[in-house]
Amino acid sequence: MVHVGIGYDVHALVEGRKLILGGVEIPHPKGLDGHSDADVLMHAICDAILGAMGEADIGHFFPNTDPRWKGARSRLFLNEAARLVEFREGKIINVDATLIAQAPKIFPYVHAMKINIAEALGLNIKLVGIKATTNERLGFLGREEGIAAMAVASVDLRQEG
Ligand code: MG
C-alpha cells in the first residue's frame, strides 16, 4: 500500500545565523532562526515522511526544548524518519519538495541538496525532487522575513493497510 504524507515548515530569517537549506550552507547575510540548524527544507521532508506513516510530527520526536537537538544537523532527523520507515518494514518511494524563498537564488544549490537528502534517507538521488520559487514579493516570505518549505513523501507500507 502506498501512503502519502505532507509536510510544511517555516523559519524566520535573522542576522547572525548560517543559512542551511537541504544541508547546504548558502552564503547569505541572514540565516534561519531555530533550535536546530533550522533547515526548513529537511524539516518539511521529515514531516512528510512521518505523515505518510501516520506518525506524530517532527516537534514530537525532536522537541525544541531538548538540549540534545540544540544546533543539531537536521539530517539526523531525516536519518531517524528513514529508520522509522525501516522499522515498519516500509520503503520510501519518493519525496518532493518546494522551497519558497524570495532570496537567495536556490537553483545553484539544488543538486547538492538532493545529494544530502538522498544520502540521509538512503534513497537514489532521482527519487528526491526539489524545486524553488519566490513569493513574488508578497507577504512575509516576499519581504524576506523567512523561508518556507512544503513537501510530500510516498511510502510503501507493504504489511499495512
Ligand atoms: Mg522547523
Side-chain angles (χ1 to χ4, degrees):
M1 273 297 266
V2 175
H3 297 235
V4 298
I6 185 171
Y8 171 82
D9 197 21
V10 60
H11 284 260
L13 275 167
V14 295
E15 273 164 30
R17 292 268 301 180
K18 289 178 182 169
L19 179 59
I20 312 278
L21 294 171
V24 179
E25 187 177 332
I26 298 177
H28 195 58
K30 291 181 176 180
L32 294 174
D33 198 16
H35 185 66
S36 65
D37 64 6
D39 189 329
V40 71
L41 177 61
M42 284 193 174
H43 293 184
I45 292 170
C46 188
D47 257 354
I49 294 165
L50 294 172
M53 291 190 292
E55 296 282 354
D57 64 31
I58 187 171
H60 171 83
F61 286 97
F62 313 105
N64 62 10
T65 49
D66 188 332
R68 268 185 303 169
W69 312 121
K70 185 159 172 54
R73 294 170 68 197
S74 294
R75 65 178 305 141
L76 290 176
F77 306 155
L78 288 183
N79 292 156
E80 189 60 18
R83 204 187 61 80
L84 276 167
V85 172
E86 213 169 295
F87 181 73
R88 295 264 295 264
E89 297 179 25
K91 186 173 165 25
I92 299 170
I93 297 171
N94 76 308
V95 298
D96 184 31
T98 298
L99 266 168
I100 307 159
Q102 194 62 46
K105 281 259 170 286
I106 302 298
F107 184 74
Y109 307 100
V110 162
H111 187 71
M113 291 176 186
K114 284 184 178 183
I115 290 172
N116 289 340
I117 289 161
E119 273 181 10
L121 294 173
L123 285 183
N124 187 306
I125 190 173
K126 288 183 184 140
L127 305 176
V128 178
I130 299 174
K131 296 92 59 203
T133 181
T134 71
N135 217 41
E136 296 290 346
R137 305 223 157 270
L138 294 166
F140 69 95
L141 295 170
R143 290 189 298 268
E144 300 180 36
E145 292 167 14
I147 291 178
M150 49 182 74
V152 291
S154 57
V155 177
D156 187 358
L157 295 171
R158 278 157 241 245
Q159 314 300 326
E160 301 172 34

